[in-house]
């Protein structure tokens, strides 16, 4: 079992200046990867007009999502074996190359392929940022630093549409990708230099090639089902169900292989830890709820309230502020008290408190009320992003920090993907039903109006009122659908131990590990 292997010392103690440089470097890389999850959405109309390929446009987002999610556990494990520095250099380099290729793409196929390369590198940056902090920061200070990282991630994710809209209007869609090249190089140089004090070799460098292949092979059909088959072919289409069957079979094979691997990409022993298992499940549910606000609040402001993309981005600024404030506050309190459980519990409560009233909004609901609920939602999201990962890092062996961090991050991303696909289906079906009920006074409008906000704005007054009203109620149904998931997250948070008991394994020596690390530093 990997948790029984004592890790090699990570090298000499880093100075405060080196730590700060390392944190700034990895946060820059994290900022870029988080922005690129959502920055493309507002640029899609400009991309279509330039490179064409409307029928394949969804793949510009899906390709990035597929490769970034599927590669995350692999990057985390490899960084445990080869060291964070070399893996960060490789991953950031891949991200930079992918960004450059996106910026010079001349047709839609090239852009999709480049986005896949970009996502492959981005899959490492969030997990590596948190893992680097675990390497270079004393145990008692990790919460503070990781709170800042989580705040950057949350704010960047929400800010993507605003930044994308601004760049497209100012200098063109290609610069939403090309801007990553100089910023990525800056992150690469700063971080690689700051991490020289960490020894690259940590343990056996035997690479679990079969496990890595199976992780990607098992994840890809599920993401295709969620992002493509579910939307285009229907959830019960034979091909769609075949993708789910492939995922289930390959997942079983993955578990069997990883239980016998010398250096498994996903150490199965981690799931024996109660905090890791519950924390992963909680992160998946919280990821679903988090991206509801990220994706559908801006849609409400644009489609229902008639705001421009940039103005809608400004309307979610309070949500970003809530995420940043809560993440930093949670990190500081965790560092001061050593306790974490109150934050995932509070985060889940706030998700319920905000999603429930959002489930009853209409087209005439005051914008200030939606913005206020968005701010409270942001605080809840900030409490859910980081504390669980920091707590999990404290109960696994140091040699497994990268794998454990990447696994929890993977489940959070998986929840986001499931949420976007599932709730998108709820939006489509509810909107179609409402529109059918009101088709008489709307003059025979059909579901095609859903596909373009510009088309809604171009309708006659009577038709627009009907469509906007239906859209507002359909979005309310989306938010209401999240409430049971938020309640489930609350239950999971209450079941999580504040500190893992001895029978759960590696956590029993956590106090001794913390004391030894503090004495060493």
């Amino acid at each position: 079992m990997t948790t029984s292997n004592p890790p090699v010392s990570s090298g000499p103690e880093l100075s405060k200046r080196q730590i700060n440089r390392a944190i700034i470097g990895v946060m820059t890389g994290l900022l870029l990867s988080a922005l690129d999850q959502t920055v493309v959405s507002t640029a899609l109309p400009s991309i279509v007009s330039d490179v064409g390929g409307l029928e394949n446009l969804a793949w510009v987002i899906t390709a990035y999502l597929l490769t970034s999610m599927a590669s995350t556990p692999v990057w985390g494990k490899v960084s445990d074996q080869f060291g964070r520095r070399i893996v960060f250099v490789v991953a950031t380099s891949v991200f930079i190359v992918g960004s450059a290729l996106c910026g010079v793409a001349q047709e839609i196929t090239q852009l999709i392929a480049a986005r896949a390369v970009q996502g492959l590198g981005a899959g490492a940056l969030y997990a590596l940022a948190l893992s680097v902090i675990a390497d270079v920061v004393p145990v008692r200070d990790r919460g503070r630093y990781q709170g800042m990282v989580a705040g950057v991630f949350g704010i960047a994710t929400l800010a993507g549409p605003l930044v994308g809209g601004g760049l497209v209007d100012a200098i063109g869609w290609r610069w939403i990708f090309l801007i990553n090249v100089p910023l990525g190089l800056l992150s690469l140089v700063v971080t690689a230099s700051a991490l020289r004090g960490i020894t690259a070799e940590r343990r056996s460098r035997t690479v679990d090639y079969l496990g890595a292949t199976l992780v990607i092979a098992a994840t890809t059909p599920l993401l295709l089902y969620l992002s493509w088959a579910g939307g285009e072919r229907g959830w019960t289409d034979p091909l769609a169900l075949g993708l789910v069957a492939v995922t289930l079979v390959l997942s079983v094979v993955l578990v069997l292989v990883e239980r016998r691997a010398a250096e498994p990409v996903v150490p199965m022993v981690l799931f024996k830890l109660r905090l890791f298992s519950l924390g992963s499940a909680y992160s998946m549910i919280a990821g679903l709820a988090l991206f509801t606000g990220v994706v559908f609040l801006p849609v409400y402001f644009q489609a229902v309230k008639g705001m421009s993309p940039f103005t809608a981005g400004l309307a979610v600024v309070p949500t970003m502020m809530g995420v940043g404030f809560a993440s930093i506050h949670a990190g500081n309190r965790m560092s001061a008290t050593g306790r974490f459980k109150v934050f995932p519990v509070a985060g889940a409560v706030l998700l319920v408190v905000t999603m429930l009233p959002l489930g009853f909004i209409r087209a005439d609901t005051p914008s200030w009320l939606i913005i206020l609920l968005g701010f409270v939602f942001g605080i809840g999201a900030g409490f859910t992003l980081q504390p669980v990962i920091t707590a999990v890092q404290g109960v696994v062996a140091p040699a497994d920090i990268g794998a454990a961090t990447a696994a929890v991050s993977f489940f959070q991303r998986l929840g986001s993907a499931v949420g976007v696909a599932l709730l998108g289906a709820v939006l489509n079906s509810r909107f179609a039903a409402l529109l059918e009920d009101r088709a008489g006074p709307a003059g025979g409008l059909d579901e095609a109006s859903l596909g373009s906000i510009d088309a809604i704005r171009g309708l006659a007054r009577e038709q627009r009122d009907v469509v906007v009203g239906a859209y507002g109620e359909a979005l309310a149904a989306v938010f209401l659908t999240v409430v049971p998931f938020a309640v489930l997250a609350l239950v999971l948070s209450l079941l999580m131990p504040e500190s893992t008991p001895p029978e759960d394994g590696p956590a029993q020596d956590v106090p001794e590990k913390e004391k030894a690390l503090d004495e060493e530093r």
Side-chain angles (χ1 to χ4, degrees):
M1 292 183 183
T2 55
T3 51
S4 63
N5 297 333
V8 180
S9 173
S10 62
E13 179 183 1
L14 299 183
S15 67
K16 182 84 169 179
R17 181 180 179 185
Q18 285 178 299
I19 291 175
N20 289 336
R21 288 177 61 197
I23 300 303
I24 291 172
V26 296
M27 284 177 71
T28 303
L30 171 66
L31 174 67
L32 299 178
S33 69
L35 279 172
D36 273 86
Q37 287 188 98
T38 54
V39 73
V40 177
S41 59
T42 51
L44 290 179
S46 298
I47 291 174
V48 171
S49 65
D50 197 2
V51 301
L54 177 62
E55 67 280 3
N56 295 315
L57 192 61
W59 280 97
V60 176
I61 296 175
T62 302
Y64 183 91
L65 181 68
L66 281 171
T67 54
S68 63
M69 287 183 59
S71 64
T72 295
V74 179
W75 286 116
K77 177 62 179 183
V78 173
S79 75
D80 282 336
Q81 294 178 272
F82 292 83
R84 317 289 181 221
R85 181 174 180 267
I86 183 62
V87 175
F88 184 87
V89 168
V90 172
T92 305
S93 299
V94 171
F95 180 79
I96 292 171
V97 170
S99 298
L101 292 174
C102 288
V104 299
Q106 298 302 307
E107 49 97 14
I108 195 68
T109 303
Q110 294 177 5
L111 180 59
I112 291 170
R115 282 285 283 174
V117 174
Q118 189 188 36
L120 186 64
L125 297 182
Y126 181 58
L128 281 181
L130 298 177
S131 298
V132 165
I133 290 174
D135 286 338
V136 304
V137 176
V139 174
R140 290 195 181 95
D141 293 332
R142 284 181 193 169
R144 181 178 302 111
Y145 282 94
Q146 291 185 345
M148 290 188 291
V149 168
V152 168
F153 178 80
I155 291 172
T157 300
L158 287 163
L162 176 63
V163 173
L167 286 175
V168 170
D169 290 343
I171 52 180
W173 69 266
R174 295 185 182 277
W175 282 96
I176 67 176
F177 303 115
L178 293 177
I179 195 67
N180 293 335
V181 176
L183 293 177
L185 289 172
L186 175 63
S187 171
L188 185 62
V189 171
V190 171
T191 307
S193 174
L195 295 182
R196 289 185 187 277
I198 296 182
T199 305
E201 185 171 357
R202 287 181 166 271
R203 61 161 76 170
S204 166
R205 294 192 175 186
T206 301
V207 178
D208 180 17
Y209 293 106
L210 180 57
T213 302
L214 285 171
V215 167
I216 296 173
T219 305
T220 300
L222 176 61
L223 296 180
L224 285 174
Y225 172 72
L226 294 171
S227 302
W228 166 58
E232 293 185 3
R233 296 178 178 270
W235 298 101
T236 58
D237 178 82
L239 176 59
L241 295 178
L243 292 171
V244 176
V246 170
T247 291
L248 293 175
V249 171
L250 291 178
S251 297
V252 172
V253 175
L254 172 64
V255 171
L256 295 176
V257 168
E258 295 299 86
R259 290 181 64 181
R260 293 168 174 78
E263 290 287 349
V265 170
V266 184
M268 292 295 109
V269 69
L270 295 178
F271 289 94
K272 295 182 179 181
L273 299 172
R274 185 180 171 198
L275 181 55
F276 177 83
S277 298
L278 290 172
S280 297
Y282 176 89
S283 295
M284 184 166 66
I285 301 300
L288 182 152
L290 170 63
F291 265 71
T292 303
V294 171
V295 173
F296 294 105
L297 277 178
V299 169
Y300 175 85
F301 286 124
Q302 289 186 61
V304 179
K305 292 300 185 181
M307 298 181 182
S308 68
F310 185 78
T311 305
L314 292 177
V316 298
V317 166
T319 307
M320 303 178 208
M321 294 171 59
V323 171
F325 165 77
S327 298
I328 294 172
H329 175 72
N332 287 336
R333 294 306 303 163
M334 287 178 66
S335 293
T337 65
R339 305 179 73 84
F340 85 98
K341 186 174 177 177
V342 62
F343 297 108
V345 171
V349 169
L350 290 177
L351 291 179
V352 174
V353 167
T354 52
M355 287 297 158
L356 193 57
L358 284 172
F360 295 94
I361 60 174
R362 294 295 182 265
D364 58 353
T365 302
S367 295
W368 66 264
L369 179 58
I370 308 297
I371 292 172
L372 176 61
L373 290 171
F375 174 70
V376 179
F377 168 84
I379 294 176
F383 284 160
T384 66
L385 282 173
Q386 167 267 337
V388 172
I389 290 180
T390 303
V392 166
Q393 289 177 340
V395 300
V396 302
D400 285 326
I401 282 179
T405 303
V408 177
S409 174
F410 168 79
F411 283 113
Q412 185 184 86
R413 288 170 176 244
L414 180 60
S416 301
V418 171
V420 170
L422 173 63
L423 298 172
V426 171
L427 174 63
N428 289 339
S429 61
R430 183 61 179 155
F431 177 76
L434 289 169
L435 207 57
E436 183 177 355
D437 289 342
R438 304 170 187 184
L445 278 172
D446 57 33
E447 192 179 351
S449 301
L450 178 65
S452 170
I453 293 174
D454 288 336
I456 295 175
R457 292 171 182 164
L459 294 172
R461 175 69 178 273
E462 181 183 357
Q463 292 178 324
R464 185 171 64 249
D465 289 344
V466 171
V467 172
V468 166
Y471 217 133
E473 291 186 38
L475 284 167
V478 168
F479 295 122
L480 199 60
T481 302
V482 178
V483 173
F485 292 99
V487 172
L488 177 57
L490 176 59
V491 172
L492 291 171
S493 66
L494 292 171
L495 293 175
M496 281 190 281
E498 183 68 67
S499 58
T500 307
E503 60 266 24
D504 278 347
Q508 60 186 336
D509 61 351
V510 169
E512 287 75 13
K513 285 193 299 183
E514 291 184 354
K515 181 178 179 182
L517 284 169
D518 288 342
E519 290 176 350
E520 179 183 346
R521 294 187 183 280

